[in-house]
Amino acid sequence: MIVLLSGVWLAAPAAALDPRLSIGQLKHTRWTVEDGAPPDIIAIAQSKDGFLWLGAGNGLYRFDGISFEAIPAIAGDRTRSAQITALFFDRSGALWVGYRRGGLAVYRNGRWLPLALPDVARPVIGFAQTPDGAVWVLSSRLNKPITRYKDGKWTAIDSSWGMPDQIVSSIATTRDGSLWAVGWKGISRLARDARHFEHVKDGEDLETGEHNRALSLDRSGRLWMLSADGLRLVFDGRNFVPAAEGAFSNFTMPARYLPRLVADRDGGFWASPQQGGITRLSLPGDASHRFEQRDLEPFGMKEGLSADNASALFEGRSGEIWVGTASGLDRFRSTSVIPMPTLAMEGGLATLALADGNLYLESRDALYIVPRGGSAERLVAGVGYIGAACAAPDGSVKLLINGELLTVRRGSIDRTTAPAELANRAKECLFDGAGRLLVAGADAGIWSYAGNKWVRLPIAGINFNNNWATTIQSGPNGRIFVTLGGLGLYELTGEHLKPIWDAAQIGSISAIDSLDGQLVMGGRFGLARYDGKKISVISADEQPYLAGANSLTHTATDLWMFTDRGLVRIPHTMLFAAFDHRAKAQPRLYGLLDGLPAVLFDPNSHSIAAGADGRVWMSAPGGVALFDGSRPDLPREAVQPVILSLATEGRSYDADAGPVRLAQGTSRFSIAFTAPALQRPDLVRFRYRLSGVDANWVDAGSTRTAAYTNLGPGDYRFDLSSSNGAGWTPSVSMAIKIPPTFVQSIWFKLVIALLIAGLIWFAYIFRLRRVTDRVRASLEARLAERERIARELHDTLLQGFHGLIYRFQSIADRIGDNEPVKPLINQALDQADAVLVEGRESVGRLRGRGSPCDLAEALTETAREAPTERAAQFNLTVEGQAVALHPAAHDEVLRIAQEAIRNAFRHAEAKSISASLIYLPGELRFGLSDDGIGIPETVAKDGERAGHFGLVGMRERASRIGGTLTISSRAGSGTEITLSVPGRTAYFSVRKRWLDWVSGRVAGIDDG
């Protein structure tokens, strides 16, 4: 008979490594050298942040559950060997590293702190720490094998401490603060704060036989010793236990090498003699029990261990067991889903069926019953595939297996021949209200069995060859429903099938279950519910975990289903909230790493079944497994993100060194990070952000590297957070500074800004010079033309007019003074002289002659002669040193100013008119303002008065000399007129400045 361990699950407490489980039921994972694991792992320890540290034949490594990181050795060290023989974390978090040769070193916060052990010739094989903070170092020396380190001083433990010269194979501290040592000459104890070891006499001669022994402290504080003679209790937490009382085993173990022993937190023991693999045994409930050789559970290479020579054993923080071997690293841990290797079916799936509260299972051609809360019991051998199983009203169970109907009662099995059409075709069965057995027979249709008679129901309109009857289920109000492949859900009434739903929304119905009086159906594209009135659907597009929901079952609290992702567990309340309110469900997913034998690629309705005791059984190609609902689900380990390093194109920076200052001009870098998760690293997800670059968190998924490019100089902060599916952890940060190059500095930017401003200024000057030169050339042309006209006037008109005056004067001289015409002729001659003088002055003005003060005088004269209907006070102010103007500019400025003055007197109705002439080095400015009525709005808008051309002419004259004319006026507020003319155009002679000279050189112009 095959007996399962399942019967104990109902009362079993939650445990990290339940001692009731065999090694074969634990999840074993291994990492070999081919997977990146270091070779020859001799020592293992775990730091507070969760990393697993490995002392290997080629150095120190750190493991986060995914990858192995080699820790660089001490730079320039030639005294310490590469092989590490012992690891130990003290209470401050510093890692003590013992070497095969060269003594030890301490690794803290990413830095090596070499310590000079007094004798470095022999390997360091162990460490311990007592409550006073002293660290005790054990080496394989024959004399003074133990050395004490405290307050920076080393003390060799010799006979003055009561420790004779001997080989000491193991040391350990107990909760009372005592230090224990076991060696060739027996067991010694150093009480807390004592200075002398007490040699324990226990009636056992330890000086004979094998001397290699190991000590280990269990969870309750008891100290155990393993030797070639077996396992024994040394200290019960209060007192020493003599050998006669502490022996718990009657087996032998090879002790050629120093053995390894771990007493795990759940009462199990793991031992390794460093050859032949490892051995596991569990502490019995009866303390008087002695383990025999047959009680040992060996596990070596043939069972899957990475190598037989296991040199390191260690219990992790979550209760998992780690084994270091010559070829890699192994881990043993509990899983939520417990494999049942004794029920594995070779070549296919075992089939499950549930009836009368018991589970029926066919495996390896034998039929088993698993009673409520009990173990599997074989009912009968030689049966085939269980097609259907259902409970009968009389308390028996009907099983359709191959071509037989089995009626199972306690202690008896009756066999009845079933129709040949149902052989290997029966899918599901149930009893209806009339007591008939109804069977869904795939392409054979639907059958009934009553009164020892089989009848195929004559269902009209259904071609069962193309649409198999796959399930039959009792639903709302006791109604019976059948699923037909390709057609959907039907209700069976008598001998008729009534269509309910075509199931197109979920692809097709592959599994069905009755839950709280409602039908729940699984399909390729989601889950559906029928409450007797309407269909509700949850699409796999909305809830991805439902994709491929096939095999279904339920317990009192949860719905279980096989999907494409594995085994899904979802509470009823969460499921109905998703159906009723479209709420986002958060189910629990179990996969291969949770102990599932395999993820089903083609599940069926017999792949999963739940017993009335809350246990869920499942069958997959890898075997049968069990989930015990009475045991709390294994908690997810806490994860803490760790930033490892930052790498640029030419250098790597350790995150432990503090804020990172990169080289000038760095524009890209990558950051490596992780989160130690030694149980389920596949569940860990990350998010990060770089301040100044990322506005929001970046979801990195399981990726453990972040890369950034096109970065500028500045201060950055990299934030990292991790999650194991139970919320995000507080973030950790790294400060990063990228100094600017000179080209990126503010000084360079200021220089560039000044250069650009200078270029703009030079461009402006160059443009101004060109425009001014064009205007000046135009004025020079006009001046040349005026001089030509002046010469012509002088040489022709004025000379001729002067000759005429002389002729008339000679005539006048011949006329007597008494002649009446004499006064008239003299008056005419005087007027001719005045005209001649005025002509000469005009010719002089055409030639550009005149005083610099002519412009101011002319404006004052214009104001005096201006016609006005009301008196207005005129005031002219001259600022700066008056200089001669270019003739053409002089005329244009004069005409503009005269027009402005006349308009003010004529139209402004002002009481006061103020004018100004301002001579600036680079500009001539004329301004006129009055307090009159202002320019009418229409004139200001149009820029001219209808039928008048004064304003238009003023603008045209200003434009001709490169000037700017501004007229601002508001009705009732007077008028302001401003004329601005560049100095190079206005002044007859302009003193060059260096900037003009430079611009002239740039323009290629020489003013001569």
Side-chain angles (χ1 to χ4, degrees):
M1 176 182 292
I2 299 177
V3 179
L4 292 180
L5 295 175
S6 58
V8 303
W9 294 125
L10 193 61
L17 292 178
D18 197 304
R20 298 167 180 82
L21 294 176
S22 66
I23 290 186
Q25 291 177 292
L26 300 177
K27 182 66 176 178
H28 170 232
T29 307
R30 70 177 187 177
W31 295 265
T32 64
V33 175
E34 288 79 6
D35 301 316
D40 196 17
I41 298 175
I42 301 176
I44 303 175
Q46 188 173 13
S47 53
K48 293 178 181 178
D49 56 10
F51 280 102
L52 197 70
W53 295 76
L54 309 173
N58 59 352
L60 181 64
Y61 287 79
R62 185 169 69 171
F63 182 53
D64 63 0
I66 294 290
S67 59
F68 297 86
E69 176 190 4
I71 305 300
I74 302 173
D77 183 29
R78 296 294 183 269
T79 62
R80 294 168 178 82
S81 64
Q83 189 175 31
I84 294 173
T85 52
L87 294 175
F88 173 74
F89 277 100
D90 64 20
R91 286 194 290 273
S92 70
L95 176 63
W96 292 67
V97 181
Y99 295 90
R100 177 171 293 279
R101 184 183 65 258
L104 56 83
V106 176
Y107 190 76
R108 185 200 304 269
N109 298 329
R111 299 178 183 273
W112 285 104
L113 305 174
L115 289 181
L117 189 67
D119 184 357
V120 298
R122 302 294 294 176
V124 174
I125 60 175
F127 295 96
Q129 187 173 24
T130 47
D132 60 356
V135 175
W136 303 75
V137 182
L138 175 64
S139 68
S140 59
R141 292 167 50 96
L142 178 61
N143 61 323
K144 304 176 185 178
I146 302 176
T147 309
R148 178 177 180 264
Y149 182 81
K150 189 176 188 300
D151 298 330
K153 297 180 180 179
W154 290 102
T155 302
I157 306 304
D158 54 17
S159 57
S160 66
W161 285 71
M163 177 59 64
D165 288 341
Q166 62 172 325
I167 293 292
V168 176
S169 56
S170 184
I171 59 176
T173 54
T174 50
R175 293 179 182 175
D176 64 352
S178 298
L179 176 68
W180 295 77
V182 58
W184 288 8
K185 295 184 178 181
I187 302 173
S188 299
R189 175 189 180 189
L190 180 67
R192 182 170 184 166
D193 299 327
R195 289 296 182 266
H196 194 278
F197 279 88
E198 173 189 1
H199 186 65
V200 178
K201 299 292 185 179
D202 63 349
E204 181 181 7
D205 186 7
L206 298 182
E207 298 188 31
T208 62
E210 295 289 350
H211 302 295
N212 291 322
R213 301 171 181 87
L215 297 175
S216 181
L217 196 69
D218 69 12
R219 187 174 188 177
S220 62
R222 296 177 296 180
L223 186 65
W224 297 80
M225 183 177 72
L226 177 69
S227 66
D229 298 325
L231 180 70
R232 59 162 287 191
L233 180 63
V234 174
F235 180 69
D236 64 4
R238 291 181 297 178
N239 301 300
F240 174 77
V241 179
E245 301 175 16
F248 269 82
S249 61
N250 187 26
F251 62 84
T252 59
M253 177 175 289
R256 179 181 178 186
Y257 304 104
L258 186 65
R260 311 298 191 193
L261 176 66
V262 168
D264 67 36
R265 67 189 62 185
D266 301 302
F269 291 88
W270 300 75
S272 170
Q274 298 200 57
Q275 59 181 2
I278 62 174
T279 300
R280 179 176 184 256
L281 56 131
S282 298
L283 183 66
D286 181 5
S288 63
H289 176 79
R290 294 172 63 89
F291 283 106
E292 303 294 337
Q293 200 76 30
R294 62 178 178 271
D295 296 323
L296 304 181
E297 285 188 274
F299 196 94
M301 285 189 66
K302 66 178 181 179
E303 288 81 21
L305 199 67
S306 57
D308 276 336
N309 49 340
S311 301
L313 286 175
F314 180 78
E315 183 182 30
R317 187 172 303 160
S318 299
E320 75 278 12
I321 295 296
W322 297 89
V323 182
T325 73
S327 300
L329 181 68
D330 294 74
R331 179 190 63 196
F332 296 87
R333 65 178 177 88
S334 290
T335 54
S336 298
V337 180
I338 309 301
M340 293 295 168
T342 54
L343 292 178
M345 180 178 181
E346 297 179 2
L349 297 174
T351 55
L352 309 174
L354 186 66
D356 68 345
N358 300 315
L359 179 75
Y360 293 87
L361 184 148
E362 175 271 320
S363 177
R364 294 178 178 158
D365 290 333
L367 179 64
Y368 299 85
I369 181 174
V370 185
R372 180 195 300 258
S375 302
E377 303 173 10
R378 188 170 65 176
L379 294 178
V380 62
V383 300
Y385 174 80
I386 299 178
C390 48
D394 61 3
S396 64
V397 174
K398 303 293 185 181
L399 300 175
L400 281 158
I401 299 178
N402 294 333
E404 291 185 309
L405 174 65
L406 274 63
T407 301
V408 180
R409 296 183 178 86
R410 276 290 182 180
S412 66
I413 297 178
D414 297 330
R415 296 174 180 264
T416 303
T417 302
E421 293 88 341
L422 288 178
N424 297 322
R425 286 179 171 82
K427 298 297 182 182
E428 286 191 0
C429 63
L430 59 75
F431 282 86
D432 64 8
R436 295 185 303 170
L437 175 65
L438 299 176
V439 180
D443 58 346
I446 301 173
W447 291 71
S448 69
Y449 179 73
N452 296 324
K453 183 178 181 182
W454 287 95
V455 175
R456 178 174 180 173
L457 300 185
I459 307 296
I462 300 295
N463 182 359
F464 289 104
N465 290 326
N466 298 325
N467 301 283
W468 287 15
T470 54
T471 64
I472 186 166
Q473 185 74 40
S474 175
N477 302 319
R479 297 153 60 188
I480 296 176
F481 296 87
V482 177
T483 60
L484 302 180
L487 293 180
L489 180 67
Y490 285 74
E491 181 179 358
L492 179 64
T493 56
E495 297 178 352
H496 302 282
L497 287 177
K498 174 185 175 182
I500 301 297
W501 181 51
D502 63 7
Q505 291 172 271
I506 61 172
S508 62
I509 300 173
S510 55
I512 189 169
D513 190 30
S514 181
L515 180 61
D516 293 343
Q518 305 176 63
L519 290 180
V520 178
M521 296 160 280
R524 183 64 187 161
F525 305 117
L527 207 63
R529 178 188 65 177
Y530 180 58
D531 60 6
K533 296 180 180 179
K534 64 178 181 179
I535 296 288
S536 303
V537 176
I538 306 175
S539 171
D541 295 334
E542 302 174 12
Q543 312 275 12
Y545 64 89
L546 293 177
N550 292 302
S551 186
L552 300 175
T553 191
H554 70 274
T555 61
T557 57
D558 303 293
L559 178 73
W560 294 78
M561 66 190 92
F562 264 126
T563 71
D564 289 347
R565 296 190 176 190
L567 182 65
V568 174
R569 175 190 186 185
I570 177 170
H572 296 169
T573 54
M574 189 181 295
L575 177 67
F576 290 142
F579 274 123
D580 296 332
H581 309 296
R582 319 307 298 175
K584 186 72 173 180
Q586 297 294 331
R588 182 74 160 85
L589 177 66
Y590 303 89
L592 297 177
L593 295 179
D594 293 292
L596 198 64
V599 176
L600 288 181
F601 57 89
D602 185 23
N604 56 64
S605 59
H606 300 301
S607 300
I608 183 171
D613 52 9
R615 296 183 297 177
V616 179
W617 295 78
M618 57 214 73
S619 173
V624 177
L626 165 70
F627 182 92
D628 185 6
S630 66
R631 302 170 68 242
D633 209 352
L634 293 177
R636 293 186 176 180
E637 60 184 324
V639 294
Q640 178 62 34
V642 177
I643 301 174
L644 299 175
S645 62
L646 182 149
T648 61
E649 293 180 352
R651 185 177 172 184
S652 179
Y653 301 82
D654 193 340
D656 292 333
V660 176
R661 182 182 177 90
L662 303 181
Q664 292 180 338
T666 301
S667 63
R668 63 177 63 191
F669 57 70
S670 62
I671 299 175
F673 50 83
T674 187
L678 302 181
Q679 293 265 44
R680 292 294 306 275
D682 59 297
L683 297 177
V684 179
R685 296 293 181 267
F686 298 92
R687 64 177 184 178
Y688 60 81
R689 65 185 173 195
L690 185 66
S691 62
V693 176
D694 301 320
N696 300 303
W697 287 98
V698 177
D699 187 354
S702 59
T703 303
R704 302 185 179 220
T705 303
Y708 288 92
T709 58
N710 300 322
L711 297 172
D715 294 313
Y716 298 90
R717 190 185 74 251
F718 181 76
D719 298 319
L720 175 69
S721 179
S722 61
S723 172
N724 62 355
W728 293 100
T729 63
S731 61
V732 295
S733 301
M734 169 191 278
I736 305 166
K737 184 178 183 62
I738 303 179
T741 62
F742 175 72
V743 174
Q744 296 172 324
S745 68
I746 186 64
W747 300 110
F748 180 79
K749 294 177 182 178
L750 288 175
V751 170
I752 292 299
L754 290 175
L755 288 176
I756 293 174
L759 289 175
I760 294 174
W761 174 251
F762 275 111
Y764 167 74
I765 294 299
F766 177 76
R767 174 65 178 168
L768 180 62
R769 170 114 187 182
R770 297 301 298 268
V771 172
T772 302
D773 287 343
R774 284 198 297 269
V775 173
R776 193 175 182 83
S778 175
L779 293 178
E780 294 292 343
R782 292 174 61 189
L783 179 60
E785 180 64 17
R786 288 167 59 126
E787 290 178 342
R788 185 190 67 77
I789 294 172
R791 288 194 300 272
E792 292 294 330
L793 289 175
H794 179 271
D795 294 341
T796 57
L797 182 61
L798 291 181
Q799 291 296 332
F801 193 72
H802 191 266
L804 287 174
I805 292 175
Y806 275 116
R807 178 69 59 89
F808 279 105
Q809 184 66 46
S810 65
I811 296 172
D813 290 343
R814 294 175 185 176
I815 299 174
D817 293 335
N818 297 325
E819 291 293 329
V821 74
K822 182 76 171 185
L824 295 175
I825 292 176
N826 287 334
Q827 184 179 5
L829 287 173
D830 291 339
Q831 290 179 350
D833 287 338
V835 170
L836 182 61
V837 171
E838 184 177 356
R840 285 174 177 166
E841 291 177 351
S842 296
V843 170
R845 285 195 297 270
L846 285 174
R847 286 184 172 273
R849 298 171 184 171
S851 170
C853 299
D854 283 352
L855 182 59
E857 295 174 357
L859 295 181
T860 303
E861 183 66 23
T862 300
R864 271 198 308 267
E865 297 176 354
T868 179
E869 296 181 359
R870 55 189 300 178
Q873 182 179 358
F874 179 79
N875 181 45
L876 175 64
T877 302
V878 179
E879 298 181 15
Q881 183 179 0
V883 296
L885 301 183
H886 192 286
H890 179 280
D891 284 356
E892 300 294 2
V893 172
L894 178 61
R895 297 294 182 261
I896 293 171
Q898 287 176 333
E899 181 68 20
I901 293 171
R902 293 189 187 103
N903 286 341
F905 277 97
R906 186 177 300 151
H907 305 295
E909 301 180 14
K911 295 179 182 179
S912 174
I913 300 173
S914 298
S916 63
L917 270 175
I918 302 174
Y919 292 88
L920 298 173
E923 178 185 16
L924 173 65
R925 187 180 300 166
F926 167 75
L928 181 73
S929 62
D930 63 61
D931 58 357
I933 62 175
I935 299 175
E937 184 176 351
T938 56
V939 176
K941 181 178 180 181
D942 298 338
E944 61 181 61
R945 188 188 301 271
H948 297 263
F949 303 99
L951 294 178
V952 176
M954 291 168 68
R955 290 191 175 91
E956 291 176 348
R957 289 179 183 275
S959 177
R960 280 200 295 269
I961 58 176
T964 303
L965 182 67
T966 303
I967 302 174
S968 61
S969 177
R970 193 168 55 182
S973 299
T975 302
E976 291 185 4
I977 298 175
T978 302
L979 172 65
S980 176
V981 183
R984 294 183 59 85
T985 303
Y987 302 140
F988 188 80
S989 175
V990 179
R991 182 176 298 174
K992 292 180 178 290
R993 300 179 179 86
W994 70 271
L995 197 58
D996 296 326
W997 183 88
V998 172
S999 63
R1001 301 285 74 76
V1002 173
I1005 299 172
D1006 187 3
D1007 289 338

